[in-house]
Amino acid sequence: MNLTSFYAWLEATSWGTAIRENELLFPTIESIHVIAITLVFGTIALVDLRLLCLTCRDTRVSQLTRPLLTWTWSAFTVAAISGSLLFSSNAAAYGHNLYFRIKMLLMLVAGINMLLFHFFSSRTWQSWDHLPDTPTRARVAGAISLMLWIAVVACGRWIGFTMLS
Amino acid sequence: MPHTLGVFCDWLAQTPFSGVLQTTQWVVPALQTVHILAIGAVLASTLMIALRMLGVLGNQQPVGTLWFMRVIGGALTILLLTGSLLISAEPRRSLGSPAFQLKMVLLVCVCTLLILYRGRLLRAAHAPASVSNGSSKALVFTSLLLWMGIIVAGRWIAYASGQ
């Protein structure tokens, strides 16, 4: 199955059709998507700012990440499901939209950045977890993450303005 | 739309400043992006205060609730600024929208709540979680719900826009 037929299949599904044809479904799902994405961005940004030593310097990094990441992942799951539903209502147009593609790519890079940071700091984090100042590696990961997620939100907004034409 | 509001919208739309905003294509999505990022900061900060009150963040090292209150204040300033610019770019579409009007009512509610109970919130957040009472927790969760309502109403401006 190539992408074009996959998009066509998605648009023809019962949920894709319902979201496209019902006046209230799209904005309702979109509202949920926006709440979820603000939570994803906000909670990630707080951790990033701590990694950059710009806030909560007297709080352990793990003390901040443990409760917050649960919220980040829950909100991300909601954002991914609601986003997929919105996508299925007009799959081909979204799939061909430049900003949609950039948004997906940026989230992939953000995921890789997170995995690399976890991988390289899994042995050492206990030595700096309690310190106000984090190592350079942590600051770089925090800065990259923050910039990527700002760009993700921007791309998301730009999709809405480039889909109409 | 009431006549005076309509007159005001038309006047605003014809100002040179609004003209610049209307004709520069990237302005509205850029302002909306900053607007969404700022509401993300508000929501996450409110959540942090709530988690602190529930004792989820631990009691030994209190997470700076004052700092989060400042973040909310700063983000609110950015929201009002970008929001005003967005109104200037599309006065009738925003001011005439029932969703926008509902959003403003919710905004007044949450601001009143925060201003009236700022001191209580700070005291409750600095005390151990076991001490913070039910009304303080109810206060934080009410504001969390109000912010979410504001986000939803904000998104619906696009679907219930003024004529």
Side-chain angles (χ1 to χ4, degrees), chain A residues 24 26-28 30-31 34-35 38-39 41-43 46 55 58-59 63-64 67-68 71 150 153-154 157-158 161, chain B residues 26 28-30 32-33 36-37 39-40 43-44 47-48 51 56-57 61 63 67-68 148 151-152 155-156 159:
Chain A
L24 299 179
F26 191 94
T28 304
E30 201 184 14
S31 301
V34 176
I35 289 178
T38 49
L39 276 174
F41 171 76
T43 52
L46 282 177
T55 174
D58 53 353
T59 307
Q63 200 183 352
L64 211 54
L68 274 186
W71 283 84
I150 289 173
V153 174
R157 206 68 289 273
W158 249 272
F161 284 82
Chain B
W26 54 267
V28 171
Q32 287 184 349
T33 302
I36 292 173
L37 295 175
I39 193 95
L43 211 56
L47 184 68
M48 287 297 282
L51 291 177
V56 182
L57 291 177
Q61 295 159 298
V63 174
W67 189 81
F68 287 115
M148 289 187 184
I151 293 175
V152 173
R155 193 72 288 268
W156 278 78
Y159 301 96

Side-chain angles (χ1 to χ4, degrees), chain A residues 5-161:
Chain A
S5 51
F6 173 65
Y7 293 155
W9 171 79
L10 259 183
E11 286 178 17
T13 56
S14 56
W15 64 88
T17 311
I19 297 165
R20 184 171 55 252
E21 290 176 356
N22 186 304
E23 271 186 24
L24 299 179
L25 268 180
F26 191 94
T28 304
I29 298 171
E30 201 184 14
S31 301
I32 295 167
H33 192 65
V34 176
I35 289 178
I37 207 155
T38 49
L39 276 174
V40 170
F41 171 76
T43 52
I44 287 181
L46 282 177
V47 174
D48 290 341
L49 290 174
R50 173 64 183 91
L51 289 177
L52 284 164
C53 315
L54 292 174
T55 174
C56 307
R57 287 163 58 92
D58 53 353
T59 307
R60 279 174 180 266
V61 176
S62 60
Q63 200 183 352
L64 211 54
T65 55
R66 218 177 297 123
L68 274 186
L69 290 188
T70 316
W71 283 84
T72 309
W73 280 113
S74 311
F76 184 81
T77 308
V78 174
I81 293 171
S82 55
S84 305
L85 288 173
L86 295 173
F87 179 84
S88 62
S89 73
N90 203 354
Y94 283 115
H96 291 116
N97 184 285
L98 175 67
Y99 294 99
F100 177 83
R101 292 179 169 192
I102 297 174
K103 182 180 175 181
M104 293 303 117
L105 183 69
L106 290 173
M107 286 201 290
L108 183 70
V109 178
I112 293 170
N113 175 55
M114 185 185 71
L115 282 176
L116 285 176
F117 177 62
H118 276 277
F119 181 73
F120 285 114
S121 61
S122 59
R123 288 194 201 119
T124 63
W125 70 271
Q126 276 167 323
S127 63
W128 53 264
D129 185 41
H130 58 288
L131 300 174
D133 291 310
T134 52
T136 311
R137 193 178 54 246
R139 295 183 194 207
V140 171
I144 291 175
S145 164
L146 198 57
M147 285 188 287
L148 283 171
W149 284 104
I150 289 173
V152 166
V153 174
C155 282
R157 206 68 289 273
W158 249 272
I159 294 170
F161 284 82

Side-chain angles (χ1 to χ4, degrees), chain B residues 10-149:
Chain B
D10 294 339
W11 168 80
L12 187 58
Q14 279 163 8
T15 57
F17 180 65
S18 174
V20 173
L21 296 178
Q22 286 169 41
T23 49
T24 320
Q25 281 191 334
W26 54 267
V27 165
V28 171
L31 286 171
Q32 287 184 349
T33 302
V34 178
H35 204 68
I36 292 173
L37 295 175
I39 193 95
V42 169
L43 211 56
S45 299
T46 311
L47 184 68
M48 287 297 282
I49 297 174
L51 291 177
R52 168 83 185 93
M53 278 188 183
L54 292 174
V56 182
L57 291 177
N59 293 323
Q60 297 85 4
Q61 295 159 298
V63 174
T65 303
L66 185 62
W67 189 81
F68 287 115
M69 294 288 274
R70 285 197 190 126
V71 170
I72 294 175
L76 204 54
T77 312
I78 295 172
L79 285 166
L80 291 177
L81 194 68
T82 50
S84 306
L85 290 171
L86 285 166
I87 291 170
S88 311
E90 299 166 309
R92 267 185 178 270
R93 179 178 177 274
S94 51
L95 293 179
S97 160
F100 173 84
Q101 290 156 7
L102 173 66
K103 182 179 173 177
M104 289 307 106
V105 172
L106 295 174
L107 180 66
V108 169
C109 289
V110 79
C111 286
T112 310
L113 215 63
L114 288 179
I115 292 165
L116 278 180
Y117 297 107
R118 190 176 177 279
R120 177 190 285 201
L121 268 178
L122 283 175
R123 275 196 305 278
H126 280 291
S130 52
V131 175
S132 66
N133 56 23
S135 67
S136 307
K137 286 174 188 165
L139 193 67
V140 175
F141 285 103
T142 307
S143 64
L144 207 53
L145 284 177
L146 281 171
W147 286 120
M148 289 187 184

